[in-house]
Amino acid sequence: MAASIRDTYILGIGVTPVGRYPDRSFTDLVADAYGSAVKDAQLADPDRIEGTWFSNMLADFWGLRAMRGLATLAPLVEDGLFPNGQRITNVEAGCASASAAFNGAWSAIQSGADLTLAIGVEKMNPNDGRGAELLEWMNGGLPESYWEPFRRLADQLGVGFGFGSDRSMAMDVYALLALSHMRDYGTTIEQIAASAAKNHTNAVHNPRAQYRFPMSTDDVLADRVIADPLTRAMAAPRGDGAGAILVCSEDFLTEQPTSVRDRALKVRGHSLAGGRINASWEDQRSPVVSAAQTYQMAGLTPRDLDLVELHDATSFAEIHLIEDLGLCERGHGGPFTASGATQLDGEIPVNPSGGLVSRGHPIGATGIMMLYELAVQLRGEAGETQVPNARIAMAENGGGIVGLDIAVTATTILERVA
């Protein structure tokens, strides 16, 4: 497999901080991220970009139902900031939308392009008090048959299954999955809380994070329960933000000045995998398949990683994902986390950025933001959350849920080469 992969690099990357920006437009947020990526790449001629992949999930709620990328980027074209006549492909894959956009940009390089762009943006905080309406909108549109695997699992666990009006349906599903993992492997709520406390504390020194306050395990457990057994501190908040990433071939990279080449990051491996309805924890679920493909492409194993950023939409997700990625054995995610192995100074730091529960989760931008957090680590620019001598790092970004599986999982391994 590796012999057929064309060497691909991240040339430049930029993101906004995650926050609540009800008065900022999609275009405003994208302009900041895109401008930062172009500056990071020292790109003198944006007209050399050969294609753009634009990711977003919730623009429909705001009344933007078609040609989202064109509508968002048109003002930047008019201002002369974005190339005119650019081919823009709209991408949506739930919470993995930005990673799917990156996949489009990366795949184009594999097909012969030399410079491509992926952009992700999300607005999740209305300024007119419609926050509950947005959550309800997120819960709609799926056929009744979609929920049957969850109802069967709830029956097996002897619990109810339904949606709350103050949260997205994902929280109810994750709560059910947490109970399943606790039943099958003895995972405890204290172990899940340890993950949340670690990530909240990591985010204190991350200027891009939405929440920047430390929490102890006791603090996490004492917070309000939103979907039993999960508390509010174990769940990602609604965030607004954008990210942009410039991807290039080795041929394009060799044309750049030394200052740019020294900051470029090699994409050692990248993969998307789809989920399986009715999968069990022991099956080859999409995170397991995607990670295996990415490790194979990179010629690496989990032991070669210096850090990981993964999709902790809830803190329980981190427990099963460190198992899925091979960082510990199946069923050992809880004890592995509670042991301190995933702390900044642990065996394999996980979510030094604060993860989604603190760094934030603006759905259409999250995948690119995770790659940004890898970039600052590999470039040695992470400040007080810096992992010493970080050279190889993985990001895992999941979108949608089908039964016990994730509908689509993206994994990416980046390497510092300078």
Side-chain angles (χ1 to χ4, degrees), residues 72-155:
T72 299
L73 294 167
L76 304 185
V77 174
E78 294 170 2
D79 291 341
L81 302 176
F82 194 79
N84 198 3
Q86 181 70 206
R87 173 173 57 82
I88 302 169
T89 302
N90 292 320
V91 176
E92 191 274 306
C95 296
S97 292
S99 290
F102 173 75
N103 176 265
W106 176 85
S107 296
I109 301 298
Q110 301 307 308
S111 299
D114 284 315
L115 181 64
T116 56
L117 172 69
I119 292 174
V121 62
E122 204 66 83
K123 279 173 56 64
M124 302 180 69
N125 292 282
N127 61 0
D128 54 5
R130 290 192 298 156
E133 184 181 338
L134 181 141
L135 290 174
E136 184 177 351
W137 183 90
M138 290 174 65
N139 291 344
L142 291 167
E144 192 64 22
S145 60
Y146 179 86
W147 304 114
E148 281 308 310
F150 305 105
R151 292 196 176 95
R152 287 197 298 271
L153 179 58
D155 288 343

Side-chain angles (χ1 to χ4, degrees), residues 197 199-205 210-215 223 233 357-358:
N199 290 343
H200 279 286
T201 302
N202 284 350
V204 169
H205 300 293
Q210 184 170 356
Y211 289 166
R212 298 183 62 188
F213 49 83
M215 295 190 79
D223 204 357
V357 299
S358 272

Side-chain angles (χ1 to χ4, degrees), residues 187-259:
T187 303
T188 68
I189 192 62
E190 290 79 12
Q191 292 164 349
I192 298 172
S195 167
K198 166 182 67 72
N199 290 343
H200 279 286
T201 302
N202 284 350
V204 169
H205 300 293
N206 184 348
R208 297 164 298 280
Q210 184 170 356
Y211 289 166
R212 298 183 62 188
F213 49 83
M215 295 190 79
S216 67
T217 297
D218 287 341
D219 292 334
V220 172
L221 292 170
D223 204 357
R224 175 171 61 88
V225 174
I226 57 169
D228 190 34
L230 305 177
T231 67
R232 180 177 55 177
M234 299 175 185
R238 297 200 316 265
D240 307 331
I245 186 167
L246 286 158
V247 186
C248 75
S249 67
E250 187 168 34
D251 290 342
F252 189 92
L253 183 64
T254 58
E255 300 175 16
Q256 308 310 305
T258 301
S259 57

Side-chain angles (χ1 to χ4, degrees), residues 139-411:
N139 291 344
L142 291 167
E144 192 64 22
S145 60
Y146 179 86
W147 304 114
E148 281 308 310
F150 305 105
R151 292 196 176 95
R152 287 197 298 271
L153 179 58
D155 288 343
Q156 294 171 16
L157 294 167
V159 299
F161 178 69
F163 303 136
S165 60
D166 60 345
R167 58 187 181 269
S168 75
M169 61 87 175
M171 295 302 105
D172 298 276
V173 171
Y174 271 117
L176 195 62
L177 299 181
L179 291 172
S180 169
H181 203 273
M182 294 164 83
R183 175 198 64 185
D184 291 351
Y185 301 111
T187 303
T188 68
I189 192 62
E190 290 79 12
Q191 292 164 349
I192 298 172
S195 167
K198 166 182 67 72
N199 290 343
H200 279 286
T201 302
N202 284 350
V204 169
H205 300 293
N206 184 348
R208 297 164 298 280
Q210 184 170 356
Y211 289 166
R212 298 183 62 188
F213 49 83
M215 295 190 79
S216 67
T217 297
D218 287 341
D219 292 334
V220 172
L221 292 170
D223 204 357
R224 175 171 61 88
V225 174
I226 57 169
D228 190 34
L230 305 177
T231 67
R232 180 177 55 177
M234 299 175 185
R238 297 200 316 265
D240 307 331
I245 186 167
L246 286 158
V247 186
C248 75
S249 67
E250 187 168 34
D251 290 342
F252 189 92
L253 183 64
T254 58
E255 300 175 16
Q256 308 310 305
T258 301
S259 57
V260 175
R261 296 199 305 271
D262 285 349
R263 288 170 56 77
L265 301 168
K266 187 173 184 178
V267 182
R268 281 288 300 267
H270 172 71
S271 171
L272 290 180
R276 303 180 181 194
I277 297 176
N278 297 323
S280 74
W281 292 118
E282 302 294 332
D283 289 330
Q284 293 295 297
R285 297 159 48 258
S286 70
V288 178
V289 174
S290 179
Q293 292 173 346
T294 298
Y295 289 134
Q296 181 181 3
M297 185 183 298
L300 299 170
T301 73
R303 292 185 176 276
D304 295 312
L305 302 176
D306 296 311
L307 70 138
V308 171
E309 287 284 334
L310 56 75
H311 192 100
D312 63 327
T314 70
S315 297
F316 164 67
E318 182 169 312
I319 299 296
H320 80 76
L321 284 168
I322 59 177
E323 300 170 0
D324 294 337
L325 301 182
L327 306 185
C328 67
E329 294 181 23
R330 174 66 65 204
H332 290 202
F336 191 71
T337 298
S339 75
T342 59
Q343 297 275 4
L344 274 175
D345 59 354
E347 178 182 330
I348 174 66
V350 174
N351 286 334
S353 69
L356 276 57
V357 299
S358 272
R359 197 254 188 257
H361 184 22
I363 292 174
T366 294
I368 292 174
M369 290 181 167
M370 297 172 85
L371 294 177
Y372 184 94
E373 296 301 333
L374 298 190
V376 295
Q377 287 283 350
L378 297 176
R379 290 169 169 176
E381 300 168 356
E384 293 190 54
T385 62
Q386 180 66 52
V387 175
N389 304 312
R391 189 173 189 87
I392 296 173
M394 172 181 269
E396 179 279 333
N397 181 205
I401 301 172
V402 285
L404 288 183
D405 205 353
I406 297 171
V408 59
T409 299
T411 53

